[in-house]
């Protein structure tokens, strides 16, 4: 490749790509320098994992023990066909996961009793924040602008959720008022300032309450009622949609996803019909393909922030697709009867626990049974909660929750056994006022079960007023796959419809679809990493602490920063966290008035959305249309114009046009000289590692996409991790947490529900860095740029390369300009994207950052043969375009316009097209041996948006 580009060394090539004033002479300190072997890595990580103490945990508070069915663990969580696929922007090669996600949406709508659900959001606390801002957006504009607009939050909402609300509320000027939502007078006092009410159902103390009058009160003022809830409980309890909730959300974790020290887990989000146009996140709907057959696709794509930019009320650009698929499959595998049986067993265990503790003389659940009782959590009054919990952990290896100074909460889940209950009774007996004459806890357990008439396998009912009467999950998909054989076949049937890295390279620019090495993935299934509760005492997570500390140190070294926070659980959340840190720092220096954020017009849409959410006013700076570089004159002029109120400048480096801008250091100096802070979007960090760094360039804060540069898989649309690195003056403001100490001494409110966000997938990044070592990381950066430039050189004779530097080089990605084909022969960018599917490839990033173009990023993971295979496909497609240009093929009905071609499409009895079946299916020889077939023909990208809201069911129902 070097020879093809005219170089005799990799370093000489790099000097023509990276500007001299950017290229760093600093060697990375990552150890070991030459990296660990796979066996060495696993041995070292096993030693670290063993430092985590495995305890039986009944903390609850939104996180519960769950059993991942082995068929789902092996064939979804651990399957590269599921975890290496990209977001389903190309629906023809994504039908499997789209069906699975629509199953997830159906689970959520059925169980919440609401009209429409999205395909997951980041976590429960983030979902609460989205509910709050959505509630604001549903109000008339005059109400949205009221200076005292208030979101009323019940005090029995999970504490991590309440504190996360403060982070989001500040940027929108929302007052968060915490109180007793059942005190209707307190809610009514807010009056016309009320934008919404949030309750927890069941509450954080386990109680089940009737919120129907709260809903009536909120609606009287035109406000909304949001209910944080629990899908397992809703198999037994009246759904929120039936007591007046407008929004319901929560954590789907207990549907088959491990605790994972806090994540990743799929949060769910549902709303009534009136909220369908304001709902955040992704939505799967039913459309149709070219043959008129039903097909799934992402619907209402204007939700993406590229459209609304600074006017967006949400910066979500991802989901938790892999985890949502796991939870959906858990529901498919167990079905409605199986899910209810699990819920009834959990509830039965809680009833036995309550009765047993009462017989030990404890005051339980406030001394009297609440109207609705409880579902899985029992609250016990003790003399000293902290002392009780500490001693029980020391003596019995059992974790309970401190609710307040005199109350301990104990939560049941599907992993709890009779032996576990006996051990809890034995542990609590040390603090009991009376002890039964016999100390055979198993006999006591049996006696209680008999007295309460709790019989294994028999239905157990909650109080009638709260009992669910409506049916759920009636669709055949939830009633057909209850044996492992059928489940396995269903999973592989869906998997076969999706293109992933197991099939071919995915050359998406700005998305960095690199190898997710098998060795890096192995530890996520280890119980020492995936079974810890996020609020377990930190002394029990010393292995995690060591790994997280080492990861933070390595990321700080790589980025040139002084401190790192791993809490943000997506790139967009990292943006928001970084800007919140900047704002808090400015406030601490008496400069709270600095609220202008300058952003290049080429920026990813989440940049302006995040700035707006952080309470900043967005000012756009131009880019040079010829080079793609920042317009430095415009930047200087706007910095001068807003010098008294300039707060931040957001810049992506290399730029979103795929080049290293030579003036980026000057841009940072301009911003700093006018009193602002520099935020660097780390989406393209994989072109910097080991060669330059945000800290040395001049940035004050930068977020990283661990799911891009650092090998966490995209999972079909999530999970992601977006940590931030900061300079020392910003370190005191890194995000904190109400239950576990994180962040700096002046920490902002948390960004995520868990202290370290999606902790259980951080071993992937740790492993990647340790196996690569300092030299490997730097070499990988050079190779990713070499691969991109090699491909650009091969394609340059056939397509126009849109942006390069003065040496005619790109960075790690490049843009093909295909806009002229529309004028010459009617071929558009989407035709090329869809035709690539016939060649077995996912399309590059389409129409971003420039409409009508393709942005290609090969990454360092791909070898020369794969690069050439992709180039051969694009060159062959250029020949097909030429045939249309020359009139050898018609402008309509040609092989590109009809792409992709499915087997069904090619097996029609009569063939009247101007090209052969073989030309459609096998345009290059390798395809006869290695062919990936799209399962639907081209999907209509607009059909179904108007009526998709009743379409949250699998396609079979529409046939």
């Amino acid at each position: 490749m070097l020879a093809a580009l005219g170089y005799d060394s990799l370093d000489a090539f790099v000097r023509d790509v990276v500007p001299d004033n950017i290229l760093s002479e600093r060697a990375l300190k990552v150890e070991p320098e030459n990296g660990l072997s796979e066996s060495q890595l696993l041995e070292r990580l096993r030693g670290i994992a063993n430092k985590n103490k495995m305890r039986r945990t009944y903390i609850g508070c939104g996180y519960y023990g769950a059993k991942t069915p082995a068929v789902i663990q092996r064939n979804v969580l651990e399957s590269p066909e599921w975890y290496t696929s990209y977001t389903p922007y190309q629906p023809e090669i994504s039908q499997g996961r789209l069906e699975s996600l629509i199953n997830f949406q159906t689970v959520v709508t059925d169980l919440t009793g609401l009209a429409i659900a999205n395909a997951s959001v980041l976590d429960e606390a983030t979902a609460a924040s989205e509910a709050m801002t959505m509630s604001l957006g549903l109000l008339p504009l005059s109400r949205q602008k009221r200076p005292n607009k208030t979101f009323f939050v019940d005090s029995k909402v999970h504490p991590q959720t309440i504190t996360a609300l403060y982070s989001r509320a500040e940027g929108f000027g929302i007052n968060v008022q915490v109180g007793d939502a059942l005190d209707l007078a307190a809610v009514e006092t807010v009056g016309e300032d009320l934008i919404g009410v949030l309750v927890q159902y069941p509450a954080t103390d386990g109680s089940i309450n009737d919120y129907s009058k709260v809903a009536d009160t909120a609606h009287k003022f035109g406000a909304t009622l949001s209910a944080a809830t629990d899908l397992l409980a809703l198999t037994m309890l009246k759904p929120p949609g039936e007591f007046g909730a407008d929004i319901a959300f929560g954590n789907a974790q207990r549907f088959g996803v491990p605790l994972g020290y806090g994540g990743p887990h799929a949060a769910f989000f549902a709303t009534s019909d009136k909220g369908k146009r304001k709902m955040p996140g992704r939505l799967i709907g039913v459309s149709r393909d070219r043959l008129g057959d039903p097909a799934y696709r992402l619907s209402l794509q204007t939700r993406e922030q590229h459209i609304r930019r600074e006017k967006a009320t949400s910066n979500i650009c991802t989901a938790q697709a892999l985890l949502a698929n796991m939870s959906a499959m858990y529901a498919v595998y167990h079905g409605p009867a199986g899910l209810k049986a699990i819920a009834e067993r959990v509830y039965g265990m809680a009833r036995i626990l309550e009765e047993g503790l009462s017989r030990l003389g404890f005051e339980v659940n406030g001394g009297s049974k609440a109207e609705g009782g409880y579902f899985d959590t029992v609250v016990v009054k003790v003399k000293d909660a902290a002392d009780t919990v500490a001693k029980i952990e020391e003596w019995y290896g059992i974790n309970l929750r401190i609710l307040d100074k005199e109350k301990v909460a104990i939560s049941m889940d599907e992993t709890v056994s009779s032996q576990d209950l006996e051990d809890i009774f034995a542990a609590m007996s040390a603090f009991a006022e009376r002890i039964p004459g016999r100390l055979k806890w198993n006999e006591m357990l049996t006696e209680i079960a008999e007295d309460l008439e709790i019989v294994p396998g028999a239905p157990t009912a909650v109080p009638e007023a709260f009992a669910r009467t409506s049916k759920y999950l009636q669709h055949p998909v939830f009633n057909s796959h209850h044996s492992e054989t059928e489940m396995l076949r269903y999973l592989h049937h869906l998997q076969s419809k999706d293109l992933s890295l197991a099939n071919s390279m995915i050359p998406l620019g700005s998305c960095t679809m690199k190898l997710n090495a098998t060795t890096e993935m192995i530890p996520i299934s280890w119980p020492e990493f995936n079974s810890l509760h996020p609020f377990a005492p930190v002394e029990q997570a010393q292995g995690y602490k060591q790994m997280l500390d080492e990861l933070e140190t390595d990321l700080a070294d790589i980025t040139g920063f002084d401190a790192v926070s791993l809490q943000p659980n997506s790139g967009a959340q990292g943006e928001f966290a970084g800007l919140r840190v900047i704002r808090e720092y400015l406030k601490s220096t008496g400069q709270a008035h600095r609220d202008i954020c300058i952003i290049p017009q080429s920026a990813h849409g989440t940049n302006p959305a995040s700035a707006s959410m952080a309470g900043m006013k967005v000012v756009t700076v131009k880019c040079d249309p010829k080079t793609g570089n920042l317009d430095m004159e415009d930047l200087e002029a706007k910095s001068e114009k807003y010098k008294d109120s300039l707060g931040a400048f957001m810049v992506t480096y290399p730029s979103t046009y795929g080049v290293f801008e030579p003036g980026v250091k000057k841009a940072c100096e301009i911003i700093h000289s006018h009193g602002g802070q520099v935020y660097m979007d780390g989406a393209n960090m994989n072109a910097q590692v080991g060669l330059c760094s945000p800290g040395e360039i001049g940035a004050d804060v930068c977020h990283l996409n661990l799911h891009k540069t650092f090998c966490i898989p995209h999972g079909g649309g999530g999970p992601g991790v977006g940590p931030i690195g900061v300079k020392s003056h910003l370190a005191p403001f890194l995000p904190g947490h109400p239950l576990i100490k994180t962040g700096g001494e002046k920490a902002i409110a948390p960004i995520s529900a868990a202290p370290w966000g999606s902790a259980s997938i951080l071993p992937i990044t740790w492993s990647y860095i340790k196996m690569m070592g300092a030299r490997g990381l730097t070499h990988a950066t050079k190779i990713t740029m070499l691969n991109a430039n090699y491909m650009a050189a091969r394609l340059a004779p056939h397509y126009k390369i849109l942006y390069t530097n003065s040496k005619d080089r790109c960075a790690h990605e490049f843009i093909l300009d295909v806009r002229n084909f529309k004028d010459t022969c009617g071929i558009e960018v989407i035709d090329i994207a869809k035709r690539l599917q016939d060649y077995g490839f996912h399309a590059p990033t389409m129409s971003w950052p420039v409409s009508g173009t393709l942005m290609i990023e090969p990454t360092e993971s791909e070898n020369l043969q794969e690069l050439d295979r992709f180039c051969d496909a694009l060159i062959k497609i250029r020949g097909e375009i030429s045939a249309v240009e020359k009139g050898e093929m018609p402008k309509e009905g040609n092989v590109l316009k009809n792409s992709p071609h499915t087997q069904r499409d090619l097996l029609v009895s009569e063939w009247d097209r101007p090209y052969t079946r073989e030309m459609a299916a096998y345009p290059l020889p390798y395809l006869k041996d290695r062919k990936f077939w799209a399962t639907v023909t081209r999907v209509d990208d607009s059909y179904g948006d108007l009526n998709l809201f009743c379409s949250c069911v699998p396609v079979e129902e529409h046939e």
Side-chain angles (χ1 to χ4, degrees):
M1 287 191 287
L2 282 170
L5 295 174
Y7 296 94
D8 57 10
S9 76
L10 196 52
D11 288 338
F13 160 75
V14 169
R15 285 194 293 271
D16 276 356
V17 176
V18 185
D20 289 339
N21 68 333
I22 298 298
L23 197 59
S24 175
E25 296 182 0
R26 178 180 66 93
L28 295 180
K29 297 178 182 178
V30 172
E31 294 182 347
E33 182 181 5
N34 294 316
L36 299 170
S37 69
E38 292 184 347
S39 58
Q40 288 172 331
L41 181 285
L42 290 176
E43 182 179 0
R44 181 176 174 195
L45 194 55
R46 172 57 73 185
I48 292 174
N50 288 341
K51 295 180 182 179
N52 292 328
K53 296 179 181 178
M54 305 299 294
R55 297 287 187 260
R56 285 176 292 175
T57 299
Y58 311 100
I59 293 173
C61 199
Y63 300 93
Y64 305 88
K67 295 179 180 179
T68 306
V71 66
I72 295 175
Q73 175 169 318
R74 175 61 61 90
N75 296 286
V76 179
L77 177 64
E78 297 174 354
S79 169
E81 284 89 347
W82 284 93
Y83 67 68
T84 69
S85 53
Y86 184 58
T87 302
Y89 290 130
Q90 297 292 335
E92 298 85 0
I93 51 176
S94 308
Q95 289 296 296
R97 86 198 82 132
L98 285 168
E99 178 172 327
S100 180
L101 291 172
I102 215 165
N103 288 342
F104 179 81
Q105 291 178 182
T106 305
V107 170
V108 175
T109 53
D110 277 12
L111 290 177
T112 61
L114 290 166
I116 183 169
N118 65 23
S120 79
V121 286
L122 302 175
D123 62 20
E124 184 167 333
T126 304
S129 299
E130 297 292 341
M132 177 175 64
T133 53
M134 179 177 160
S135 298
L136 177 64
L138 288 170
L139 292 173
L141 195 58
S142 60
R143 291 274 302 277
Q144 294 183 37
K145 293 183 177 180
R146 292 179 73 96
N148 296 316
K149 51 184 176 286
T150 298
F151 193 60
F152 193 102
V153 182
D154 188 75
S155 57
K156 292 184 178 181
V157 170
H158 292 319
Q160 69 272 18
T161 299
I162 295 175
T163 50
L165 287 171
Y166 289 109
S167 263
R168 185 72 64 89
E170 183 172 343
F172 288 88
I174 297 172
N175 171 43
V176 175
Q177 181 176 329
V178 180
D180 183 359
L182 292 173
D183 180 0
L184 301 182
V187 178
E188 288 184 336
T189 301
V190 181
E192 291 295 315
D193 288 328
L194 184 69
I195 66 171
V197 179
L198 172 62
V199 297
Q200 191 93 39
Y201 176 79
T204 193
D205 66 355
S207 62
I208 300 170
N209 301 289
D210 182 359
Y211 295 115
S212 57
K213 291 182 180 178
V214 180
D216 292 341
T217 303
H219 294 158
K220 182 170 68 174
F221 293 101
T224 58
L225 175 67
S226 297
T229 190
D230 181 319
L231 293 178
L232 190 65
L234 294 183
T235 63
M236 297 181 69
L237 297 177
K238 181 185 293 185
E242 293 181 15
F243 62 66
D246 306 283
I247 299 169
F249 63 85
N251 187 357
Q253 175 263 318
R254 70 190 310 172
F255 268 33
V257 179
L259 284 162
Y261 206 41
H265 307 134
F268 60 89
F269 194 103
T271 183
S272 60
D273 188 69
K274 76 173 186 178
K276 61 191 178 187
R277 296 281 173 179
K278 297 288 187 179
M279 184 176 65
R282 291 176 178 155
L283 180 66
I284 314 302
V286 177
S287 184
R288 63 186 177 190
D289 71 358
R290 175 169 53 80
L291 300 179
D293 294 325
Y296 302 116
R297 68 173 177 84
L298 287 173
S299 301
L300 289 181
Q301 297 199 35
T302 54
R303 294 175 189 280
E304 296 299 319
Q305 283 68 41
H306 296 298
I307 306 297
R308 301 200 66 206
R309 297 179 70 83
E310 68 271 14
K311 295 181 180 179
T313 56
S314 168
N315 67 348
I316 288 181
C317 71
T318 187
Q320 296 282 25
L322 181 65
L323 297 315
N325 286 330
M326 288 181 66
S327 291
M329 292 305 174
Y330 181 90
V332 168
Y333 191 45
H334 288 294
L339 292 175
K340 189 172 183 181
I342 293 168
E344 288 175 338
R345 184 177 179 279
V346 169
Y347 178 55
M349 289 284 193
R351 290 183 64 201
I352 292 172
L353 175 64
E354 180 197 42
E355 180 63 23
L357 293 173
S358 294
R359 294 186 183 187
L360 290 174
F362 289 103
E363 181 181 310
V364 183
N365 292 331
S368 61
K369 290 183 172 58
E371 182 183 0
Y374 48 85
F375 171 61
D376 59 17
T377 298
V378 174
V379 175
V380 192
K381 187 175 181 180
V382 294
K383 291 180 179 179
D384 185 329
D387 180 67
T388 301
V389 168
K391 287 178 177 175
I392 287 177
E393 189 278 325
E394 179 185 355
W395 297 341
Y396 290 89
I398 290 174
N399 288 327
L400 306 179
R401 177 186 173 195
I402 301 171
L403 197 62
D404 62 30
K405 291 181 180 180
E406 295 183 333
K407 292 178 182 175
V408 171
I410 309 173
S411 294
M412 300 288 96
D413 58 55
E414 69 167 320
T415 69
V416 177
S417 66
S418 297
Q419 183 62 56
D420 292 328
L421 279 179
E422 293 172 24
D423 292 343
I424 292 173
F425 289 145
M428 290 298 295
S429 69
F431 306 90
E433 293 186 3
R434 60 174 181 267
I435 300 176
R438 61 182 183 279
L439 289 179
K440 295 182 179 179
W441 302 111
N442 61 328
E443 295 178 7
M444 176 179 164
L445 198 70
T446 301
E447 181 180 289
I448 293 171
E450 290 175 352
D451 291 346
L452 297 177
E453 297 182 351
I454 298 175
V455 180
T460 303
V462 297
E464 184 176 355
F466 293 85
R468 182 175 193 127
T469 57
S470 53
K471 295 182 178 180
Y472 51 89
L473 305 186
Q474 297 299 291
H475 189 274
V477 75
F478 300 105
N479 295 277
S480 306
H481 307 292
H482 304 325
S483 72
E484 181 166 331
T485 304
E486 287 303 314
M487 191 67 194
L488 180 67
R489 289 170 181 163
Y490 181 57
L491 289 170
H492 279 262
H493 169 64
L494 296 189
Q495 162 187 311
S496 70
K497 298 181 177 186
D498 290 5
L499 186 141
S500 70
L501 286 178
N503 304 107
S504 61
M505 69 183 292
I506 301 179
L508 284 147
S510 193
C511 292
T512 320
M513 294 296 296
K514 64 201 298 181
L515 174 70
N516 312 126
T518 303
T519 298
E520 296 160 12
M521 300 299 295
I522 287 173
I524 68 172
S525 295
W526 293 353
E528 292 86 357
F529 284 127
N530 74 19
S531 296
L532 266 67
H533 194 286
F535 306 148
V538 291
E539 295 78 15
Q540 296 174 19
Q542 290 305 296
Y544 254 119
K545 184 180 186 305
Q546 178 180 340
M547 185 199 68
L548 298 175
D549 287 348
E550 289 183 10
L551 181 55
E552 288 178 1
T553 298
D554 286 345
L555 292 177
D557 177 47
I558 289 167
T559 57
F561 285 122
D562 300 303
V564 169
S565 169
L566 297 167
Q567 189 180 107
N569 52 9
S570 81
Q573 290 294 87
E575 292 174 14
F576 179 62
L579 291 170
R580 286 274 297 115
V581 164
I582 286 174
R583 295 226 67 193
E584 202 63 24
Y585 162 74
L586 291 172
K587 186 188 298 183
S588 74
T589 60
Q591 300 179 85
H593 61 281
R594 290 189 172 273
D595 62 355
I596 294 294
C597 187
I598 295 178
I599 301 177
Q601 63 185 23
S602 62
H604 192 285
T606 56
N607 283 186
S610 296
S612 179
M613 286 167 47
M616 305 192 83
K617 301 179 181 69
V618 174
V619 172
T620 302
V621 65
K622 299 175 185 175
C623 293
D624 185 330
K626 293 182 180 180
T627 64
N629 293 339
L630 281 168
D631 185 327
M632 298 299 288
E633 290 185 6
D634 191 40
L635 176 64
E636 191 139 23
K638 286 174 177 170
S639 298
E640 176 65 28
K641 179 179 179 180
Y642 297 105
K643 63 182 179 182
D644 294 330
S645 54
L646 176 60
F649 168 54
M650 298 186 80
V651 62
T652 301
Y653 201 73
S655 76
T656 51
Y657 293 128
V659 292
F660 282 95
E661 297 188 34
V664 67
K665 280 193 172 181
K666 177 63 175 176
C668 295
E669 291 169 3
I670 291 171
I671 297 301
H672 287 146
S673 69
H674 290 87
Q677 297 283 295
V678 176
Y679 177 98
M680 186 171 285
D681 185 319
N684 295 336
M685 187 66 201
N686 58 309
Q688 290 195 49
V689 177
L691 299 180
C692 57
S693 69
E696 290 178 293
I697 290 169
D700 299 287
V701 57
C702 174
H703 90 264
L704 303 172
N705 296 96
L706 298 192
H707 47 289
K708 293 183 178 182
T709 301
F710 295 97
C711 286
I712 289 175
H714 284 64
V721 181
I724 56 172
V726 298
K727 289 290 192 180
S728 58
H729 65 284
L730 298 179
F733 305 95
L734 289 174
H737 195 276
L739 301 177
I740 301 291
K741 175 69 173 71
T742 64
E745 61 270 20
K746 300 178 181 178
I748 63 169
I751 301 300
S752 305
W756 288 279
S758 295
S760 69
I761 54 175
L762 293 177
I764 301 171
T765 294
W766 183 91
S767 299
Y768 168 72
I769 292 173
K770 293 306 181 186
M771 284 196 292
M772 294 293 283
R775 293 183 64 184
L777 290 169
T778 304
H779 186 70
T781 307
K782 297 175 182 179
I783 295 300
T784 194
M785 293 191 294
L786 178 62
N787 284 355
N789 280 276
Y790 170 78
M791 292 182 72
R794 273 211 66 190
L795 295 171
H798 309 278
Y799 297 89
K800 179 182 178 182
I801 309 299
L802 198 53
Y803 297 113
T804 55
N805 67 11
S806 60
K807 301 291 182 66
D808 201 29
R809 297 288 169 233
C810 63
H812 62 303
E813 59 191 1
F814 60 98
I815 299 174
L816 293 186
D817 188 352
V818 299
R819 292 173 291 186
N820 63 307
F821 299 142
K822 184 176 181 180
D823 296 327
T824 62
C825 60
I827 297 298
E828 300 184 56
V829 65
I830 193 169
D831 301 317
I832 299 172
K834 301 305 181 185
R835 180 59 172 154
L836 274 167
Q837 295 178 19
D838 286 331
Y839 289 79
F841 287 107
H842 196 292
T845 300
M846 189 174 68
S847 288
W848 189 83
V850 181
S851 180
T853 65
L854 293 168
M855 177 182 272
I856 298 171
E857 180 178 353
T859 82
E860 77 278 8
S861 301
E862 304 300 340
N863 62 19
L864 178 60
Q865 290 73 25
E866 186 71 356
L867 303 183
D868 280 335
R869 197 167 71 91
F870 184 74
C871 289
D872 289 343
L874 274 176
I875 292 168
K876 182 71 172 180
I877 289 172
R878 181 63 183 93
E880 294 170 349
I881 296 170
S882 295
V884 183
E885 289 176 319
K886 295 173 183 177
E888 297 169 2
M889 285 286 169
K891 287 190 174 183
E892 297 298 330
N894 57 60
V895 71
L896 287 108
K897 290 291 184 183
N898 285 335
S899 61
H901 298 81
T902 63
Q903 290 172 312
R904 177 184 173 188
D905 186 29
L906 296 175
L907 289 173
V908 294
S909 57
E910 294 186 11
W911 188 263
D912 58 357
R913 302 179 198 179
Y915 54 91
T916 65
R917 288 181 171 93
E918 185 170 16
M919 184 186 298
Y922 305 118
L924 286 174
Y926 72 83
L927 291 163
K928 293 182 179 180
D929 179 59
R930 183 180 175 183
K931 175 72 176 179
F932 178 87
W933 292 93
T935 53
V936 296
T937 57
R938 191 176 305 192
V939 175
D940 189 324
D941 281 336
S942 60
Y943 179 83
D945 272 351
L946 294 179
N947 63 356
L948 63 87
F949 303 107
C950 60
S951 300
C952 291
V953 289
V955 165
E956 292 82 16
E957 181 117 334
H958 295 265
E959 293 180 341

